[in-house]
Each structure stands twice: as structure tokens, then as C-alpha cells.
């Protein structure tokens, strides 16, 4: 968890490599959460994009 916290800070400061690593580490969990809640792949993809990109 500490690695993720550190990556979030770096990504917020514009570190694209940190963002890429953060995305890689969390994408599967975020995807499964979205798909299990929404039951729709298209909506899950949209939510992932909406959720991940604006925060960094």
C-alpha cells in the first residue's frame, strides 16, 4: 500500500512513469469492481476512464 501512496503523490506531481505504474497496479481491481457493479463492459470502461484520468 505504501508503494501506491507514493505513486499517487508522484503522479499528481506530473510523473507519467508513476502514473503508468499506478495504473498497472490498480487496473485489474478497478475493472473488476466496475464490471461487478455495472454488469456492462461499455459502462465499466467509461467509468474506469472517468475515474483514473482526471485525478492525475
Amino acid at each position: 500500500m505504501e508503494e501506491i501512496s507514493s505513486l499517487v503523490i508522484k503522479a499528481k506531481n506530473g510523473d507519467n512513469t508513476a502514473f503508468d505504474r499506478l495504473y498497472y497496479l490498480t487496473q485489474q481491481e478497478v475493472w473488476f469492481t466496475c464490471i461487478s457493479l455495472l454488469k456492462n463492459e461499455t459502462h465499466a470502461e467509461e467509468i474506469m476512464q472517468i475515474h483514473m484520468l482526471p485525478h492525475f
Side-chain angles (χ1 to χ4, degrees):
M1 189 65 158
E2 187 172 324
E3 179 183 9
I4 290 177
S5 296
S6 175
L7 289 170
V8 168
I9 292 167
K10 290 176 183 177
K12 284 187 172 188
N13 288 325
D15 185 334
N16 290 331
T17 302
F19 175 81
D20 291 344
R21 179 78 178 137
L22 182 63
Y23 186 83
Y24 174 79
L25 290 173
T26 61
Q27 70 173 336
Q28 189 172 10
E29 186 175 345
V30 172
W31 171 253
F32 285 123
T33 300
C34 289
I35 201 72
S36 69
L37 292 172
L38 299 172
K39 312 285 191 237
N40 180 298
E41 279 192 38
T42 302
H43 292 152
E45 289 172 2
E46 290 175 14
I47 294 300
M48 279 192 68
Q49 290 176 1
I50 290 167
H51 172 73
M52 294 297 284
L53 296 179
H55 295 287
F56 303 105

